[in-house]
Amino acid sequence: MKLITRYLIRQLSVTSLYAMFALLALYSFFDVVAEAGGIGEGSYNGAKMLQYVLLQIPDHAYQMMPLAVLIGGLAALSRLAANSELTIIKTSGMSSKNLIAILLAFGLIFACATAALGEFAAPAANRYAENLKTTAKNGRISTGAEGLWIKEKSTIVNVREMLPDQSLRGIKAFRLNDAFQLAESWQADAATVAADGTWHLQNVRRSILEKERVRTERHDSENWQADIRSGLLDVLLVSPNQMSVTALTSYIAHLEDNRQKTDLYRIEWWRKLMYPVATVVMALVALAFTPQSTRHGNMGLKLFGGICLGLAFHFAGRLFGFTSQLYGIPPFIAAVLPTLIFAVWAVWLIRRQEAR
C-alpha cells in the first residue's frame, strides 16, 4: 500500500509541476510583452528586463499554485483512469477514504510550498524586482536594505519605507554646500507628500553645521518643498496582495492605532491565510472531476470543466473581496466563503460518484 501511495503522489506531483511550468511560461511571456515597451528608458535594457521578469516568477507561482494542483491532479488521475490503473488500484484493496487521504497529502505538500512562497519568496522577489526596475529607469535614485536614496539638487534623501496609504516612514536628509561638504542634516519620523510636491514632515530633528559649532533644532511638524515625483517613491509601495501575513498583521495594527479602516487589509490577511488551504481543496476537486473509467466517454469534457472551475475559483476570491468592501461583509466570511463553497462542492461530487 505504501508503494501505491508513493506512486500516486509522485504521479500527481510531477504532473502538477509540469502544469506549473506551463502556466509560468505563459505568464512570463505576457510579462515580456508588457515590459518590452520600457526598454531604453534610462539603463533599463533587455538583460534587466529579463531579470525583472524572472523575479516575478515566485509571485506568479504563488498565485497559480491552486490552479496548477487542479490541472495536474486532473491530468494525472484522468491518465490513470484511462489506463485502468485507477480501477486496478481500487480493486487491490484501496478504499475511497484511502484515496482521498492520498489526495489530501498531495495537496498538503503543495500547500506548504504555497505558504512559503507567499510569506517569504514572493514578497522579497517582488520588492527586489521593483527596486531593480525603478533604479534602472531613474538614474538619480538607489535602493537597498535601508530603503530608497534620492538625490534632490544639493540634498540627498533617504526614505526607509512607504506604507500602503502612501505615507512615508523614517526620512533622513543631508544637504551639501557648494564645496560638497555636509552643511545640514535632518530626520523625520513620518511624512506625507501633497500633490504640489510639499512634504509634510512630523517630529523633525535638525542639525546645522556652523563654523565652530553644531546647532540643533526640533519641530513637531514642518513643510519641505521638494521636486521629487511621486512615481519615484512608488518603488517602496507594496500593494496588500503582495504583502506577507506578517507585514499585513503589522500594518493592520498600525491602522488600528491611528483609528483608520482596516477592512481591505483584513480581507487580504484572511485570504493569505486561506490560500494554502485552497490548494488542498483543489486536490479534492481534481478527484471529484476525474472519471472513474473510460466507459463514461466524457473525460475531455470533465477535464475542461475542472480547469474552468479552477479559473472561476481564482477570480472568485477577488470578486468576494470587492463585494465585501461594497456591502460590508465581514472580512473573514469574504475570504473563507469561496474556499468553503468549493470544498463542500468537491465532497458532494465525490460522495455522489461513490453512490453510483
Side-chain angles (χ1 to χ4, degrees):
M1 196 64 72
K2 289 183 179 179
L3 182 63
I4 294 176
T5 300
R6 289 198 299 270
Y7 174 73
L8 287 175
I9 290 179
R10 184 172 64 251
Q11 292 294 318
L12 291 164
S13 300
V14 169
T15 311
S16 295
L17 289 175
Y18 284 151
M20 176 61 76
F21 290 148
L23 290 169
L24 291 178
L26 183 63
Y27 269 77
S28 296
F29 172 75
F30 291 150
D31 285 342
V32 169
V33 172
E35 293 297 323
I39 295 178
E41 295 183 29
S43 61
Y44 191 63
N45 52 26
K48 289 185 177 178
M49 180 203 69
L50 289 176
Q51 190 177 354
Y52 174 81
V53 170
L54 289 174
L55 286 168
Q56 296 295 314
I57 287 178
D59 185 59
H60 292 327
Y62 170 75
Q63 297 292 339
M64 291 292 106
M65 192 70 78
L67 183 58
V69 166
L70 175 60
I71 295 174
L74 275 169
L77 291 173
S78 296
R79 185 173 64 249
L80 291 172
N83 295 333
S84 300
E85 291 180 74
L86 204 59
T87 303
I88 294 171
I89 288 171
K90 286 186 174 182
T91 55
S92 66
M94 179 171 286
S95 66
S96 297
K97 290 182 179 179
N98 290 335
L99 187 58
I100 291 172
I102 292 172
L103 265 294
L104 290 175
F106 152 69
L108 187 60
I109 293 170
F110 281 82
C112 292
T114 303
L117 284 170
E119 189 66 15
F120 304 108
N126 273 331
R127 185 164 54 252
Y128 187 82
E130 294 303 326
N131 289 349
L132 171 75
K133 181 179 176 181
T134 307
T135 303
K137 290 187 174 183
N138 302 277
R140 63 179 179 140
I141 75 169
S142 176
T143 56
E146 296 182 359
L148 179 70
W149 291 88
I150 309 173
K151 188 175 185 300
E152 164 61 15
K153 297 179 181 178
S154 61
T155 304
I156 300 172
V157 183
N158 171 235
V159 182
R160 190 181 71 245
E161 63 176 335
M162 175 189 278
L163 299 180
D165 61 1
Q166 297 191 333
S167 62
L168 309 178
R169 292 288 183 273
I171 305 99
K172 298 178 182 178
F174 306 89
R175 184 175 63 82
L176 308 178
N177 58 22
D178 294 337
F180 298 101
Q181 296 174 333
L182 182 63
E184 177 186 344
S185 69
W186 56 262
Q187 54 184 309
D189 290 344
T192 56
V193 183
D196 62 355
T198 302
W199 290 39
H200 302 293
L201 308 172
Q202 299 173 14
N203 195 17
V204 184
R205 287 90 67 197
R206 188 182 303 274
S207 299
I208 303 170
L209 278 68
E210 299 180 346
K211 288 184 178 181
E212 297 181 354
R213 67 190 183 99
V214 177
R215 179 162 53 90
T216 59
E217 297 177 356
R218 280 182 173 270
H219 304 279
D220 291 335
S221 62
E222 185 178 315
N223 291 337
W224 179 54
Q225 187 66 41
D227 185 27
I228 298 175
R229 301 190 309 273
S230 60
L232 292 179
L233 299 171
D234 288 347
V235 66
L236 293 171
L237 183 62
V238 180
S239 60
N241 65 320
Q242 293 179 335
M243 297 172 72
S244 65
V245 173
T246 305
L248 283 168
T249 303
S250 177
Y251 187 59
I252 288 171
H254 165 76
L255 291 177
E256 288 177 340
D257 291 342
N258 291 273
R259 298 180 180 179
Q260 294 177 283
K261 291 184 177 180
T262 62
D263 289 350
L264 174 62
Y265 303 97
R266 286 191 178 278
I267 291 170
E268 197 59 42
W269 189 88
W270 280 108
R271 183 174 176 273
K272 286 272 185 181
L273 214 60
M274 293 300 299
Y275 210 64
V277 179
T279 306
V280 179
V281 171
M282 288 299 107
L284 292 178
V285 173
L287 178 61
F289 274 79
T290 301
Q292 299 303 300
S293 69
T294 57
R295 290 178 300 175
H296 293 99
N298 59 354
M299 185 179 299
L301 183 61
K302 283 199 170 187
L303 187 62
F304 176 74
I307 294 171
C308 290
L309 192 63
L311 292 172
F313 174 81
H314 179 69
F315 293 109
R318 297 294 179 189
L319 179 62
F320 272 80
F322 295 138
T323 304
S324 173
Q325 295 177 61
L326 286 174
Y327 299 105
I329 300 173
F332 170 77
I333 295 176
V336 172
L337 198 57
T339 303
L340 184 62
I341 290 173
F342 275 77
V344 172
W345 193 12
V347 171
W348 179 77
L349 287 173
I350 292 171
R351 289 177 64 88
R352 185 183 176 189
Q353 278 186 351
E354 293 301 316
R356 288 179 178 178

Short mmCIF file of all heavy atoms in Angstrom, two decimals, residues 1-59:
data_model
loop_
_atom_site.label_atom_id
_atom_site.label_comp_id
_atom_site.label_asym_id
_atom_site.label_seq_id
_atom_site.Cartn_x
_atom_site.Cartn_y
_atom_site.Cartn_z
N MET A 1 0.82 -1.22 0.00
CA MET A 1 0.00 0.00 0.00
C MET A 1 0.85 1.27 0.00
O MET A 1 0.52 2.26 -0.61
CB MET A 1 -0.93 -0.01 1.22
CG MET A 1 -2.08 0.99 1.12
SD MET A 1 -3.20 0.61 -0.24
CE MET A 1 -4.01 -0.85 0.42
N LYS A 2 2.00 1.20 0.75
CA LYS A 2 2.89 2.37 0.77
C LYS A 2 3.48 2.62 -0.60
O LYS A 2 3.71 3.77 -0.99
CB LYS A 2 4.02 2.15 1.79
CG LYS A 2 3.54 2.21 3.23
CD LYS A 2 4.72 2.05 4.20
CE LYS A 2 4.24 2.14 5.64
NZ LYS A 2 5.38 1.98 6.60
N LEU A 3 3.76 1.54 -1.33
CA LEU A 3 4.30 1.68 -2.68
C LEU A 3 3.30 2.39 -3.59
O LEU A 3 3.67 3.28 -4.37
CB LEU A 3 4.66 0.30 -3.24
CG LEU A 3 5.29 0.28 -4.64
CD1 LEU A 3 6.63 1.00 -4.62
CD2 LEU A 3 5.46 -1.16 -5.12
N ILE A 4 2.04 2.01 -3.49
CA ILE A 4 0.98 2.65 -4.29
C ILE A 4 0.84 4.11 -3.90
O ILE A 4 0.68 4.99 -4.76
CB ILE A 4 -0.36 1.89 -4.12
CG1 ILE A 4 -0.26 0.49 -4.71
CG2 ILE A 4 -1.49 2.67 -4.79
CD1 ILE A 4 -1.50 -0.36 -4.50
N THR A 5 0.90 4.39 -2.60
CA THR A 5 0.79 5.77 -2.13
C THR A 5 1.89 6.63 -2.71
O THR A 5 1.64 7.74 -3.21
CB THR A 5 0.84 5.82 -0.59
OG1 THR A 5 -0.24 5.06 -0.05
CG2 THR A 5 0.75 7.25 -0.09
N ARG A 6 3.14 6.13 -2.64
CA ARG A 6 4.26 6.89 -3.20
C ARG A 6 4.11 7.08 -4.70
O ARG A 6 4.43 8.14 -5.24
CB ARG A 6 5.58 6.19 -2.86
CG ARG A 6 5.97 6.27 -1.40
CD ARG A 6 7.46 5.95 -1.22
NE ARG A 6 7.77 4.61 -1.68
CZ ARG A 6 7.74 3.52 -0.91
NH1 ARG A 6 7.40 3.62 0.37
NH2 ARG A 6 8.05 2.34 -1.39
N TYR A 7 3.63 6.03 -5.37
CA TYR A 7 3.46 6.11 -6.82
C TYR A 7 2.43 7.17 -7.20
O TYR A 7 2.67 7.99 -8.10
CB TYR A 7 3.02 4.74 -7.35
CG TYR A 7 2.66 4.75 -8.82
CD1 TYR A 7 3.65 4.84 -9.80
CD2 TYR A 7 1.32 4.66 -9.22
CE1 TYR A 7 3.32 4.84 -11.15
CE2 TYR A 7 0.98 4.66 -10.56
CZ TYR A 7 1.98 4.76 -11.53
OH TYR A 7 1.65 4.78 -12.85
N LEU A 8 1.30 7.19 -6.49
CA LEU A 8 0.25 8.17 -6.79
C LEU A 8 0.73 9.60 -6.51
O LEU A 8 0.50 10.51 -7.32
CB LEU A 8 -1.00 7.86 -5.98
CG LEU A 8 -1.81 6.63 -6.41
CD1 LEU A 8 -2.96 6.39 -5.43
CD2 LEU A 8 -2.35 6.81 -7.82
N ILE A 9 1.35 9.79 -5.36
CA ILE A 9 1.82 11.15 -5.02
C ILE A 9 2.87 11.62 -6.02
O ILE A 9 2.88 12.79 -6.42
CB ILE A 9 2.37 11.18 -3.58
CG1 ILE A 9 1.23 11.01 -2.58
CG2 ILE A 9 3.11 12.49 -3.31
CD1 ILE A 9 1.66 11.00 -1.13
N ARG A 10 3.75 10.70 -6.46
CA ARG A 10 4.76 11.07 -7.44
C ARG A 10 4.12 11.46 -8.77
O ARG A 10 4.49 12.48 -9.38
CB ARG A 10 5.75 9.93 -7.64
CG ARG A 10 6.88 10.29 -8.60
CD ARG A 10 7.97 9.23 -8.63
NE ARG A 10 7.49 7.95 -9.15
CZ ARG A 10 7.33 6.86 -8.39
NH1 ARG A 10 7.60 6.91 -7.08
NH2 ARG A 10 6.90 5.74 -8.92
N GLN A 11 3.14 10.67 -9.22
CA GLN A 11 2.46 10.99 -10.48
C GLN A 11 1.73 12.33 -10.40
O GLN A 11 1.81 13.16 -11.31
CB GLN A 11 1.46 9.87 -10.83
CG GLN A 11 2.09 8.54 -11.20
CD GLN A 11 2.88 8.63 -12.50
OE1 GLN A 11 2.44 9.24 -13.45
NE2 GLN A 11 4.05 8.00 -12.53
N LEU A 12 1.04 12.55 -9.29
CA LEU A 12 0.29 13.79 -9.11
C LEU A 12 1.24 15.00 -9.02
O LEU A 12 0.98 16.05 -9.63
CB LEU A 12 -0.55 13.71 -7.83
CG LEU A 12 -1.73 12.73 -7.86
CD1 LEU A 12 -2.22 12.46 -6.44
CD2 LEU A 12 -2.87 13.27 -8.71
N SER A 13 2.33 14.85 -8.30
CA SER A 13 3.26 15.96 -8.09
C SER A 13 3.98 16.33 -9.39
O SER A 13 4.10 17.51 -9.73
CB SER A 13 4.28 15.60 -7.01
OG SER A 13 3.64 15.34 -5.78
N VAL A 14 4.46 15.32 -10.11
CA VAL A 14 5.19 15.60 -11.35
C VAL A 14 4.28 16.28 -12.37
O VAL A 14 4.68 17.26 -13.01
CB VAL A 14 5.77 14.28 -11.93
CG1 VAL A 14 6.30 14.50 -13.34
CG2 VAL A 14 6.88 13.76 -11.03
N THR A 15 3.06 15.78 -12.51
CA THR A 15 2.13 16.39 -13.47
C THR A 15 1.76 17.81 -13.05
O THR A 15 1.63 18.71 -13.90
CB THR A 15 0.84 15.54 -13.59
OG1 THR A 15 1.19 14.17 -13.79
CG2 THR A 15 0.00 16.01 -14.77
N SER A 16 1.62 18.05 -11.75
CA SER A 16 1.32 19.40 -11.26
C SER A 16 2.48 20.35 -11.52
O SER A 16 2.28 21.52 -11.86
CB SER A 16 1.00 19.36 -9.77
OG SER A 16 -0.18 18.63 -9.52
N LEU A 17 3.71 19.87 -11.39
CA LEU A 17 4.88 20.69 -11.69
C LEU A 17 4.94 21.03 -13.17
O LEU A 17 5.28 22.17 -13.54
CB LEU A 17 6.16 19.98 -11.25
CG LEU A 17 6.38 19.88 -9.73
CD1 LEU A 17 7.62 19.04 -9.43
CD2 LEU A 17 6.53 21.27 -9.12
N TYR A 18 4.59 20.07 -14.02
CA TYR A 18 4.52 20.35 -15.45
C TYR A 18 3.49 21.44 -15.73
O TYR A 18 3.73 22.36 -16.54
CB TYR A 18 4.17 19.08 -16.24
CG TYR A 18 5.30 18.09 -16.39
CD1 TYR A 18 5.05 16.73 -16.51
CD2 TYR A 18 6.63 18.52 -16.41
CE1 TYR A 18 6.09 15.81 -16.65
CE2 TYR A 18 7.68 17.62 -16.54
CZ TYR A 18 7.40 16.27 -16.66
OH TYR A 18 8.42 15.38 -16.79
N ALA A 19 2.33 21.32 -15.08
CA ALA A 19 1.28 22.34 -15.25
C ALA A 19 1.77 23.70 -14.77
O ALA A 19 1.50 24.73 -15.41
CB ALA A 19 0.02 21.92 -14.50
N MET A 20 2.49 23.72 -13.64
CA MET A 20 3.02 24.97 -13.11
C MET A 20 4.02 25.59 -14.08
O MET A 20 3.99 26.80 -14.34
CB MET A 20 3.68 24.72 -11.76
CG MET A 20 4.36 25.95 -11.15
SD MET A 20 3.23 27.32 -10.85
CE MET A 20 2.42 26.70 -9.36
N PHE A 21 4.92 24.79 -14.64
CA PHE A 21 5.90 25.31 -15.59
C PHE A 21 5.20 25.90 -16.82
O PHE A 21 5.63 26.95 -17.34
CB PHE A 21 6.85 24.19 -16.03
CG PHE A 21 7.80 23.76 -14.94
CD1 PHE A 21 8.24 22.44 -14.86
CD2 PHE A 21 8.25 24.66 -13.99
CE1 PHE A 21 9.10 22.03 -13.85
CE2 PHE A 21 9.11 24.26 -12.97
CZ PHE A 21 9.53 22.96 -12.91
N ALA A 22 4.14 25.25 -17.28
CA ALA A 22 3.40 25.77 -18.44
C ALA A 22 2.74 27.11 -18.12
O ALA A 22 2.80 28.05 -18.91
CB ALA A 22 2.35 24.75 -18.88
N LEU A 23 2.13 27.21 -16.94
CA LEU A 23 1.49 28.46 -16.53
C LEU A 23 2.53 29.57 -16.35
O LEU A 23 2.29 30.72 -16.75
CB LEU A 23 0.71 28.24 -15.23
CG LEU A 23 -0.55 27.38 -15.33
CD1 LEU A 23 -1.07 27.04 -13.94
CD2 LEU A 23 -1.64 28.09 -16.13
N LEU A 24 3.66 29.24 -15.74
CA LEU A 24 4.71 30.25 -15.54
C LEU A 24 5.28 30.72 -16.87
O LEU A 24 5.59 31.91 -17.03
CB LEU A 24 5.82 29.67 -14.66
CG LEU A 24 5.45 29.43 -13.19
CD1 LEU A 24 6.64 28.82 -12.45
CD2 LEU A 24 5.03 30.72 -12.51
N ALA A 25 5.44 29.80 -17.82
CA ALA A 25 5.93 30.19 -19.14
C ALA A 25 4.96 31.15 -19.82
O ALA A 25 5.37 32.14 -20.44
CB ALA A 25 6.15 28.94 -20.00
N LEU A 26 3.66 30.87 -19.68
CA LEU A 26 2.65 31.74 -20.27
C LEU A 26 2.67 33.13 -19.64
O LEU A 26 2.67 34.15 -20.33
CB LEU A 26 1.27 31.10 -20.10
CG LEU A 26 0.08 31.84 -20.71
CD1 LEU A 26 0.22 31.92 -22.22
CD2 LEU A 26 -1.23 31.15 -20.34
N TYR A 27 2.70 33.17 -18.30
CA TYR A 27 2.72 34.46 -17.60
C TYR A 27 4.01 35.22 -17.87
O TYR A 27 4.00 36.45 -17.99
CB TYR A 27 2.53 34.24 -16.10
CG TYR A 27 1.09 34.29 -15.68
CD1 TYR A 27 0.23 33.21 -15.92
CD2 TYR A 27 0.56 35.41 -15.06
CE1 TYR A 27 -1.09 33.25 -15.54
CE2 TYR A 27 -0.76 35.46 -14.67
CZ TYR A 27 -1.59 34.38 -14.91
OH TYR A 27 -2.92 34.43 -14.55
N SER A 28 5.12 34.52 -17.96
CA SER A 28 6.40 35.18 -18.25
C SER A 28 6.39 35.78 -19.65
O SER A 28 6.94 36.87 -19.87
CB SER A 28 7.55 34.19 -18.11
OG SER A 28 7.67 33.73 -16.78
N PHE A 29 5.77 35.09 -20.59
CA PHE A 29 5.64 35.64 -21.95
C PHE A 29 4.83 36.93 -21.93
O PHE A 29 5.21 37.92 -22.57
CB PHE A 29 4.97 34.60 -22.86
CG PHE A 29 4.63 35.14 -24.23
CD1 PHE A 29 5.64 35.35 -25.17
CD2 PHE A 29 3.32 35.45 -24.56
CE1 PHE A 29 5.31 35.86 -26.43
CE2 PHE A 29 3.00 35.96 -25.81
CZ PHE A 29 4.00 36.16 -26.75
N PHE A 30 3.73 36.94 -21.18
CA PHE A 30 2.93 38.16 -21.07
C PHE A 30 3.74 39.28 -20.41
O PHE A 30 3.62 40.45 -20.81
CB PHE A 30 1.66 37.89 -20.25
CG PHE A 30 0.66 37.01 -20.94
CD1 PHE A 30 -0.19 36.18 -20.21
CD2 PHE A 30 0.55 37.01 -22.32
CE1 PHE A 30 -1.11 35.37 -20.85
CE2 PHE A 30 -0.37 36.20 -22.98
CZ PHE A 30 -1.21 35.37 -22.24
N ASP A 31 4.55 38.94 -19.42
CA ASP A 31 5.39 39.95 -18.76
C ASP A 31 6.41 40.55 -19.73
O ASP A 31 6.66 41.76 -19.72
CB ASP A 31 6.11 39.34 -17.56
CG ASP A 31 5.19 39.12 -16.37
OD1 ASP A 31 4.11 39.73 -16.34
OD2 ASP A 31 5.55 38.32 -15.48
N VAL A 32 7.01 39.69 -20.55
CA VAL A 32 7.99 40.17 -21.53
C VAL A 32 7.34 41.12 -22.52
O VAL A 32 7.88 42.19 -22.84
CB VAL A 32 8.63 38.97 -22.27
CG1 VAL A 32 9.45 39.46 -23.47
CG2 VAL A 32 9.52 38.18 -21.33
N VAL A 33 6.15 40.76 -22.99
CA VAL A 33 5.43 41.64 -23.92
C VAL A 33 5.10 42.98 -23.27
O VAL A 33 5.26 44.04 -23.88
CB VAL A 33 4.13 40.95 -24.41
CG1 VAL A 33 3.27 41.92 -25.21
CG2 VAL A 33 4.46 39.71 -25.24
N ALA A 34 4.68 42.95 -22.00
CA ALA A 34 4.31 44.17 -21.29
C ALA A 34 5.52 45.06 -21.02
O ALA A 34 5.42 46.30 -21.04
CB ALA A 34 3.61 43.83 -19.98
N GLU A 35 6.67 44.45 -20.76
CA GLU A 35 7.87 45.21 -20.39
C GLU A 35 8.70 45.64 -21.58
O GLU A 35 9.58 46.49 -21.44
CB GLU A 35 8.74 44.39 -19.43
CG GLU A 35 8.11 44.14 -18.07
CD GLU A 35 7.88 45.42 -17.30
OE1 GLU A 35 8.72 46.34 -17.40
OE2 GLU A 35 6.85 45.52 -16.63
N ALA A 36 8.47 45.04 -22.74
CA ALA A 36 9.31 45.34 -23.90
C ALA A 36 9.26 46.83 -24.27
O ALA A 36 10.26 47.39 -24.72
CB ALA A 36 8.87 44.49 -25.09
N GLY A 37 8.13 47.45 -24.07
CA GLY A 37 7.99 48.88 -24.41
C GLY A 37 8.83 49.79 -23.54
O GLY A 37 9.09 50.94 -23.91
N GLY A 38 9.25 49.32 -22.38
CA GLY A 38 10.04 50.15 -21.47
C GLY A 38 11.53 50.07 -21.69
O GLY A 38 12.30 50.80 -21.04
N ILE A 39 11.98 49.17 -22.60
CA ILE A 39 13.41 49.04 -22.88
C ILE A 39 13.94 50.33 -23.49
O ILE A 39 13.34 50.89 -24.41
CB ILE A 39 13.67 47.84 -23.81
CG1 ILE A 39 13.31 46.54 -23.12
CG2 ILE A 39 15.13 47.81 -24.27
CD1 ILE A 39 13.48 45.31 -23.99
N GLY A 40 15.04 50.81 -22.96
CA GLY A 40 15.62 52.05 -23.47
C GLY A 40 15.44 53.23 -22.54
O GLY A 40 16.09 54.26 -22.71
N GLU A 41 14.55 53.08 -21.54
CA GLU A 41 14.37 54.16 -20.56
C GLU A 41 15.50 54.07 -19.54
O GLU A 41 15.59 53.11 -18.79
CB GLU A 41 13.01 54.03 -19.86
CG GLU A 41 11.82 54.23 -20.78
CD GLU A 41 10.51 54.18 -20.02
OE1 GLU A 41 10.51 54.53 -18.83
OE2 GLU A 41 9.50 53.77 -20.62
N GLY A 42 16.33 55.09 -19.51
CA GLY A 42 17.48 55.07 -18.61
C GLY A 42 18.40 53.93 -18.97
O GLY A 42 18.78 53.75 -20.14
N SER A 43 18.75 53.11 -18.00
CA SER A 43 19.62 51.95 -18.26
C SER A 43 18.83 50.65 -18.26
O SER A 43 19.40 49.57 -18.09
CB SER A 43 20.72 51.88 -17.18
OG SER A 43 20.15 51.74 -15.88
N TYR A 44 17.52 50.76 -18.47
CA TYR A 44 16.66 49.57 -18.49
C TYR A 44 16.79 48.90 -19.85
O TYR A 44 16.17 49.32 -20.83
CB TYR A 44 15.22 49.98 -18.21
CG TYR A 44 14.26 48.83 -17.94
CD1 TYR A 44 14.44 47.99 -16.85
CD2 TYR A 44 13.18 48.59 -18.79
CE1 TYR A 44 13.57 46.94 -16.60
CE2 TYR A 44 12.30 47.55 -18.53
CZ TYR A 44 12.50 46.73 -17.45
OH TYR A 44 11.62 45.69 -17.20
N ASN A 45 17.60 47.84 -19.93
CA ASN A 45 17.83 47.14 -21.19
C ASN A 45 17.21 45.76 -21.17
O ASN A 45 16.49 45.39 -20.24
CB ASN A 45 19.34 47.06 -21.46
CG ASN A 45 20.11 46.46 -20.28
OD1 ASN A 45 19.56 45.69 -19.48
ND2 ASN A 45 21.37 46.81 -20.15
N GLY A 46 17.51 44.98 -22.22
CA GLY A 46 16.91 43.65 -22.33
C GLY A 46 17.31 42.71 -21.21
O GLY A 46 16.49 41.92 -20.72
N ALA A 47 18.56 42.80 -20.77
CA ALA A 47 19.03 41.92 -19.70
C ALA A 47 18.31 42.22 -18.39
O ALA A 47 17.90 41.30 -17.67
CB ALA A 47 20.54 42.08 -19.53
N LYS A 48 18.14 43.51 -18.08
CA LYS A 48 17.45 43.87 -16.85
C LYS A 48 15.96 43.56 -16.94
O LYS A 48 15.33 43.23 -15.93
CB LYS A 48 17.69 45.35 -16.54
CG LYS A 48 19.11 45.62 -16.09
CD LYS A 48 19.33 47.05 -15.66
CE LYS A 48 20.77 47.24 -15.17
NZ LYS A 48 21.06 48.63 -14.78
N MET A 49 15.40 43.66 -18.15
CA MET A 49 14.00 43.28 -18.32
C MET A 49 13.81 41.79 -18.02
O MET A 49 12.87 41.40 -17.33
CB MET A 49 13.53 43.60 -19.74
CG MET A 49 12.07 43.23 -19.99
SD MET A 49 11.68 42.97 -21.72
CE MET A 49 12.56 41.46 -22.07
N LEU A 50 14.72 40.95 -18.54
CA LEU A 50 14.62 39.52 -18.29
C LEU A 50 14.81 39.20 -16.81
O LEU A 50 14.14 38.33 -16.26
CB LEU A 50 15.67 38.77 -19.12
CG LEU A 50 15.42 38.72 -20.64
CD1 LEU A 50 16.57 38.04 -21.35
CD2 LEU A 50 14.10 38.02 -20.96
N GLN A 51 15.71 39.95 -16.15
CA GLN A 51 15.90 39.76 -14.72
C GLN A 51 14.65 40.13 -13.96
O GLN A 51 14.24 39.44 -13.01
CB GLN A 51 17.09 40.61 -14.25
CG GLN A 51 17.53 40.30 -12.82
CD GLN A 51 18.74 41.10 -12.41
OE1 GLN A 51 19.34 41.82 -13.21
NE2 GLN A 51 19.11 41.00 -11.13
N TYR A 52 14.00 41.22 -14.38
CA TYR A 52 12.75 41.65 -13.75
C TYR A 52 11.66 40.59 -13.93
O TYR A 52 10.94 40.27 -12.98
CB TYR A 52 12.30 42.98 -14.36
CG TYR A 52 10.95 43.45 -13.89
CD1 TYR A 52 10.80 44.11 -12.67
CD2 TYR A 52 9.81 43.24 -14.66
CE1 TYR A 52 9.56 44.54 -12.23
CE2 TYR A 52 8.56 43.67 -14.23
CZ TYR A 52 8.45 44.31 -13.02
OH TYR A 52 7.21 44.73 -12.59
N VAL A 53 11.55 40.04 -15.14
CA VAL A 53 10.54 39.02 -15.42
C VAL A 53 10.79 37.77 -14.58
O VAL A 53 9.86 37.17 -14.03
CB VAL A 53 10.52 38.69 -16.93
CG1 VAL A 53 9.66 37.46 -17.20
CG2 VAL A 53 10.01 39.88 -17.74
N LEU A 54 12.05 37.36 -14.46
CA LEU A 54 12.39 36.18 -13.66
C LEU A 54 12.04 36.39 -12.19
O LEU A 54 11.61 35.45 -11.50
CB LEU A 54 13.87 35.85 -13.81
CG LEU A 54 14.30 35.28 -15.17
CD1 LEU A 54 15.81 35.13 -15.23
CD2 LEU A 54 13.61 33.95 -15.46
N LEU A 55 12.21 37.63 -11.71
CA LEU A 55 11.90 37.91 -10.30
C LEU A 55 10.40 37.92 -10.03
O LEU A 55 9.98 37.86 -8.87
CB LEU A 55 12.51 39.26 -9.91
CG LEU A 55 14.03 39.26 -9.72
CD1 LEU A 55 14.55 40.69 -9.63
CD2 LEU A 55 14.43 38.47 -8.48
N GLN A 56 9.60 38.00 -11.08
CA GLN A 56 8.14 37.94 -10.93
C GLN A 56 7.64 36.50 -10.80
O GLN A 56 6.49 36.27 -10.40
CB GLN A 56 7.45 38.60 -12.13
CG GLN A 56 7.71 40.08 -12.30
CD GLN A 56 7.14 40.89 -11.16
OE1 GLN A 56 5.99 40.70 -10.75
NE2 GLN A 56 7.93 41.80 -10.63
N ILE A 57 8.49 35.54 -11.11
CA ILE A 57 8.06 34.13 -11.13
C ILE A 57 7.58 33.64 -9.76
O ILE A 57 6.55 32.95 -9.69
CB ILE A 57 9.19 33.24 -11.69
CG1 ILE A 57 9.30 33.46 -13.20
CG2 ILE A 57 8.94 31.77 -11.38
CD1 ILE A 57 10.40 32.67 -13.87
N PRO A 58 8.26 33.95 -8.65
CA PRO A 58 7.74 33.45 -7.35
C PRO A 58 6.32 33.92 -7.07
O PRO A 58 5.50 33.14 -6.55
CB PRO A 58 8.73 34.03 -6.34
CG PRO A 58 10.00 34.18 -7.10
CD PRO A 58 9.59 34.59 -8.48
N ASP A 59 5.99 35.18 -7.40
CA ASP A 59 4.64 35.67 -7.17
C ASP A 59 3.64 34.96 -8.08
O ASP A 59 2.54 34.60 -7.64
CB ASP A 59 4.58 37.18 -7.40
CG ASP A 59 3.21 37.75 -7.06
OD1 ASP A 59 2.76 37.60 -5.91
OD2 ASP A 59 2.57 38.33 -7.96
#
